[in-house]
Amino acid sequence: MSVMPGYAKTLLPAVLLLCCGCTSMYLDARYRQGGLVQITPSPQPLAVNVEGRLYKGSIESWLARSAVRDEVIDVLESTGVFVVANADEAPTAPTLRVEIRNTTPLKRHFRELGDAVVTGATYGLIGNEIVDEIEGRVSLTPPGGTAEPSSYPHQLHRIEGMREPPAEGVVEVKPYDHFEELIEDIVLAFLRDYQAQPAGI
């Protein structure tokens, strides 16, 4: 994956999650379907412009645009289906736009986080599980055209305090790897759908 500045590597997950100090993280395995092995490189990859967005609710993090874009490009380079358009190709190339949205209601988020703090402080670090609902929206739009984005749900489970991990169906990830792995899962899901269509999406 691309190397981001240290401050960005710390800031971006916090923007996505609005928390820090979690002890362990897990991604929902239902949305991790085979990885790169299900993607067939194209003999002539399609040149695309790449845009990235990160939202908490309806609020966009402008600081995250380049980081999301960089992670999308890393996945594209690993798969060989699309390539980033050069300056000559850009005006006529379609745009691949990837939005990562944390759609967890703020009230629920802070209630779960508050429960984790309270139980951790008063009941021997029992802690709590916090579930972030993630939606990836991916679109491939021709110049001057429009495209309905494809939606790819995901879930991030976090354990605050000393609590058992989620029962089944999750994969543990390092706290600061979840950002890249979420994007990878979502982009790979889009590429699988794209290649399943005779003429693309």
Side-chain angles (χ1 to χ4, degrees), residues 3-114:
V3 177
M4 290 186 288
Y7 71 88
K9 193 72 170 177
T10 301
L11 174 63
L12 290 174
V15 170
L16 180 63
L17 303 173
L18 289 186
C19 90
C20 57
C22 50
T23 57
S24 52
M25 289 187 174
Y26 305 82
L27 289 174
D28 194 313
R30 291 176 296 174
Y31 309 115
R32 319 199 82 192
Q33 303 171 8
L36 297 174
V37 297
Q38 294 185 358
I39 306 299
T40 304
S42 173
Q44 293 184 320
L46 177 66
V48 296
N49 299 304
V50 179
E51 294 182 1
R53 302 286 191 273
L54 177 66
Y55 294 85
K56 175 62 184 179
S58 61
I59 301 172
E60 181 185 357
S61 169
W62 289 78
L63 292 173
R65 282 191 170 191
S66 62
V68 175
R69 181 179 184 273
D70 288 347
E71 295 301 336
V72 172
I73 290 172
D74 282 347
V75 179
L76 298 186
E77 290 176 346
S78 300
T79 56
V81 178
F82 299 133
V83 294
V84 178
N86 60 36
D88 293 332
E89 296 167 329
T92 57
T95 297
L96 179 68
R97 178 170 176 163
V98 178
E99 298 179 2
I100 307 298
R101 294 176 176 265
N102 187 329
T103 61
T104 311
L106 282 176
K107 287 184 178 179
R108 193 190 90 187
H109 177 93
F110 286 116
R111 183 181 67 248
E112 291 177 347
L113 183 58

Side-chain angles (χ1 to χ4, degrees), residues 123-195:
Y123 298 112
L125 297 178
I126 295 173
N128 195 30
E129 179 182 354
I130 301 171
V131 180
D132 285 288
E133 302 290 344
I134 308 297
E135 181 189 12
R137 297 182 184 177
V138 187
S139 59
L140 185 63
T141 309
T146 59
E148 188 70 23
S150 300
S151 179
Y152 299 95
H154 215 315
Q155 280 188 343
L156 177 68
H157 298 252
R158 298 177 289 126
I159 302 296
E160 297 281 356
M162 302 299 292
R163 185 182 177 92
E164 291 296 318
E168 294 180 352
V170 296
V171 177
E172 187 169 9
V173 294
K174 295 179 180 179
Y176 291 107
D177 285 346
H178 74 273
F179 179 73
E180 294 99 328
E181 295 197 32
L182 273 169
I183 293 174
E184 180 177 295
D185 288 346
I186 288 166
V187 174
L188 289 179
F190 173 82
L191 292 178
R192 285 192 294 271
D193 287 350
Y194 176 83
Q195 291 195 321

